[in-house]
Amino acid sequence: MPDLHGKIAVVTGASRGVGRGIALGLGEAGATVYVTGRTSLADSSAPIDGTIQATANAVTQLGGKGIAIRCDHARDYEIEIAFERLLSEAGHVDILVNNAWSGYEKMSINGAWTWDKPFWEQPVWRWDALLGDVRGYYVASRLAAPSMIAQKSGLIVNISFWAAQKHMGNLLYGVSKAATDKLAADMAHELRPHNVTAVALYPGLVRTEEVMKNAQYFDMSNSESPQYVGRAIAALAADPNVVSKSGQVVLTAALGQEYGFADIDGKVIRPITLAEA
């Protein structure tokens, strides 16, 4: 297992799903993980097991140190406040994982499924909803980058998906994922002289809470736990030559093959192809 003791990580949108799994994967490697997201115990309607505090506690139980900061990544000023706090406390950032994603919210409108409507029938607000997530990635990255540049090391990971490369039911979804990949590629170009790495990471089919509610519609035979995604990022962060991957799109399962880690149940995951996505 990679040793990330002493490393400071930020995982955005980590109360549930892939973000929670990423935080746990970094925590089991010993990192201090700042867990950000909207769902907090301070919210009266929040599920106790789906909050940033619950994730932070789980990180600590696995051997890392979890610290929760409530932050809505659709609001620039909240991102700025969160980074002001963590930089004041930790002094720097070693790993930033841009994961916060609200794009799957309101897929139905007034009880009607609208997600896969053609673009001319899509509500215009959905552009802002999906591209706003990419804006959040940009804002967090520009706040984390100076400390990485100062120490001449660091890793920024943008969670993305195959929709960047093929149509997957929604034009706006594809545009937002393509923008996520391009953001990583161009950040990598500007950060490379400072030995700071930026990549886009594609998970496979991840057994998130929402996916498991609809598991009967999926082939789960090659699925990944959310924590497996975290193990992929931990392996990247511990690689002394990670900058050689800067600007690339990388797959969780391909990293599993390269770095030799398995899923939490011991299963070896097979990388999927564009045709299978």
Side-chain angles (χ1 to χ4, degrees):
M1 181 179 297
D3 184 359
L4 298 181
H5 287 87
K7 299 295 184 181
I8 306 298
V10 184
V11 183
T12 72
S15 55
R16 294 178 299 280
V18 171
R20 175 181 169 85
I22 292 170
L24 299 186
L26 295 171
E28 69 176 344
T32 294
V33 184
Y34 281 83
V35 176
T36 74
R38 293 176 297 179
T39 309
S40 167
L41 286 174
D43 304 324
S44 59
S45 61
I48 293 176
D49 60 349
T51 64
I52 53 175
Q53 290 86 357
T55 299
N57 290 340
V59 166
T60 302
Q61 290 169 5
L62 285 172
K65 180 180 180 182
I67 302 170
I69 299 181
R70 192 199 178 283
C71 176
D72 183 346
H73 284 266
R75 299 175 177 176
D76 295 353
Y77 72 92
E78 291 196 22
I79 305 174
E80 292 166 358
I81 291 170
F83 272 84
E84 181 179 352
R85 173 184 159 184
L86 73 88
L87 289 171
S88 175
E89 292 176 356
H92 68 282
V93 178
D94 297 293
I95 305 159
L96 168 64
V97 184
N98 287 311
N99 167 79
W101 175 251
S102 61
Y104 295 134
E105 297 176 356
K106 300 180 182 178
M107 297 175 81
S108 295
I109 302 174
N110 297 325
W113 181 259
T114 63
W115 178 257
D116 57 1
K117 294 283 188 181
F119 72 87
W120 58 90
E121 296 181 21
Q122 290 287 336
V124 174
W125 61 256
R126 191 164 273 156
W127 172 277
D128 294 325
L130 273 68
L131 273 294
D133 290 319
V134 184
R135 178 189 177 96
Y137 291 6
Y138 167 72
V139 174
S141 298
R142 70 180 294 276
L143 293 170
S147 74
M148 295 180 176
I149 292 168
Q151 64 188 18
K152 297 191 180 301
S153 68
L155 172 65
I156 299 174
V157 179
N158 289 351
I159 301 301
S160 190
F161 199 56
W162 292 102
Q165 302 184 35
K166 67 183 292 187
H167 189 276
M168 298 187 74
N170 184 296
L171 178 150
L172 298 174
Y173 180 49
V175 170
S176 67
K177 292 305 181 185
T180 298
D181 290 2
K182 181 62 171 173
L183 180 65
D186 283 12
M187 287 194 303
H189 178 79
E190 297 183 6
L191 289 170
R192 188 170 288 109
H194 306 285
N195 197 44
V196 177
T197 300
V199 299
L201 177 66
Y202 290 10
L205 175 60
V206 183
R207 297 189 297 274
T208 63
E209 297 89 343
E210 292 303 312
V211 166
M212 295 309 295
K213 289 178 184 177
N214 299 282
Q216 69 271 26
Y217 301 112
F218 297 101
D219 177 2
M220 306 297 291
S221 60
N222 193 53
S223 61
E224 309 169 2
S225 73
Q227 196 166 329
Y228 182 77
V229 186
R231 289 184 172 184
I233 295 172
L236 280 173
D239 183 351
N241 194 37
V242 67
V243 74
S244 67
K245 292 180 171 61
S246 200
Q248 298 179 16
V249 169
V250 293
L251 312 183
T252 53
L255 294 175
Q257 290 184 341
E258 178 181 354
Y259 292 113
F261 61 86
D263 208 339
I264 56 175
D265 58 1
K267 184 177 179 180
V268 175
I269 310 299
R270 175 181 59 81
I272 64 173
T273 64
L274 178 62
E276 294 175 287

